[in-house]
Amino acid sequence: MLRVRGLVCGYRDGFQLRDVDLAVAPGEFLGIIGPNGSGKTTLVRALARSLRPLAGEVLLEGRDIWSIPPREFARQVAVVSQGGHGGPMKVEEYVLLGRIPHYGPFQFLESSRDMEVARKAMELTGIAHLKGRTLEEMSGGERQLVMLARALAQEPRLLILDEPTTHLDIAHQVAVLDLVQRLREELGIALVVVLHDLNLASEYGQRLMLMKGGRVKVQGSPHEVIRRELLREVYGVEVVVEKHPLSGRPYVVVVSGKTEVGSWRR
């Protein structure tokens, strides 16, 4: 569904992604991990058509994403960025914005179908009871769920999430990732998800991509990526990697002590 070849892109301050290659199949969960400043959000911006490549290409089902009309692109790809937007707009009105790419010619108001899809998206994300509240009344975590609901209202085939668990407590973190996992399994939605939490990435990701300094360090299964020596090299911190007693996937325990800025004490 999504293929990136030789991607180079960046900013005027000099930071660049370099030689990024990846592929995401329909219904696949790709987790993107890496330390701060490694290029994860820059990659999301490139995939979302917010940042033009300097070289290479981003293909959606074989088509360069910059050749796809914006409305058509928005019917296939939905993006949830970090944080959330405040303001006087009501939750239901904000979620209904996700239906605009599906409006027909000369349609200016939402149809009954649009209302139904928005209602279902709010129910799936657990915010239906908040539909009459304004965004400025809500916590950061609640706004994050509203943004996810708007993305689901687009009925995308590819969902790109940039740190979707930011501002969420542990129960809501699991609930959100369980939800997108269910959408992947039941609807075949492909997922590209940036996560800071290595254990959540390992538990939910079918495949992980570890980034460092604007480059892809390694891609593979959680067992291939979540390895002690590799994480120590990339993050500069001592960790222990164990096998999860229920899922069998690797999980990470950070060892209290010095990082690479000091000496390690056993």
Side-chain angles (χ1 to χ4, degrees), residues 17-204:
L17 295 180
R18 297 181 296 279
D19 302 320
V20 174
D21 294 286
L22 67 88
V24 183
E28 183 178 19
F29 189 132
L30 173 66
I32 301 177
I33 58 176
N36 292 335
S38 60
K40 302 184 299 296
T41 295
T42 302
L43 177 58
V44 165
R45 295 191 66 205
L47 301 181
R49 290 189 10 153
S50 298
L51 187 63
R52 277 190 177 271
L54 300 173
E57 57 186 0
V58 181
L59 304 175
L60 183 66
E61 295 189 322
R63 300 169 65 189
D64 189 305
I65 61 172
W66 289 95
S67 72
I68 301 174
R71 183 182 289 264
E72 180 183 347
F73 184 78
R75 287 196 295 266
Q76 299 184 64
V77 180
V79 182
V80 178
S81 302
Q82 296 179 36
H85 303 289
M89 182 177 289
K90 291 185 178 180
V91 167
E92 185 176 47
E93 295 170 339
Y94 186 80
V95 174
L96 280 166
L97 292 177
R99 297 303 301 163
I100 291 177
H102 296 274
Y103 278 16
F106 308 110
Q107 180 181 344
F108 301 103
L109 297 175
E110 55 273 2
S111 66
S112 58
R113 162 71 177 165
D114 296 325
M115 295 296 296
E116 176 61 22
V117 172
R119 181 191 63 78
K120 184 176 181 181
M122 289 187 287
E123 289 179 351
L124 284 171
T125 51
I127 61 166
H129 64 292
L130 303 174
K131 67 178 183 179
R133 290 177 57 184
T134 62
L135 296 178
E136 62 188 358
E137 299 177 73
M138 312 184 80
S139 68
E142 289 172 329
R143 284 198 297 271
Q144 193 78 357
L145 293 172
V146 173
M147 293 178 69
L148 178 57
R150 187 188 71 168
L152 295 181
Q154 290 176 231
E155 297 184 295
R157 300 181 59 211
L158 171 64
L159 184 58
I160 302 173
L161 307 174
D162 189 4
E163 298 184 31
T165 56
T166 300
H167 306 302
L168 300 181
D169 59 46
I170 189 170
H172 283 90
Q173 289 178 14
V174 173
V176 165
L177 291 176
D178 280 348
L179 168 61
V180 296
Q181 187 81 290
R182 192 167 77 247
L183 293 171
R184 180 190 68 79
E185 294 171 352
E186 296 179 359
L187 303 179
I189 294 176
L191 302 171
V192 176
V193 185
V194 174
L195 290 166
H196 260 307
D197 190 310
L198 298 179
N199 290 325
L200 289 176
S202 178
E203 191 64 24
Y204 287 91

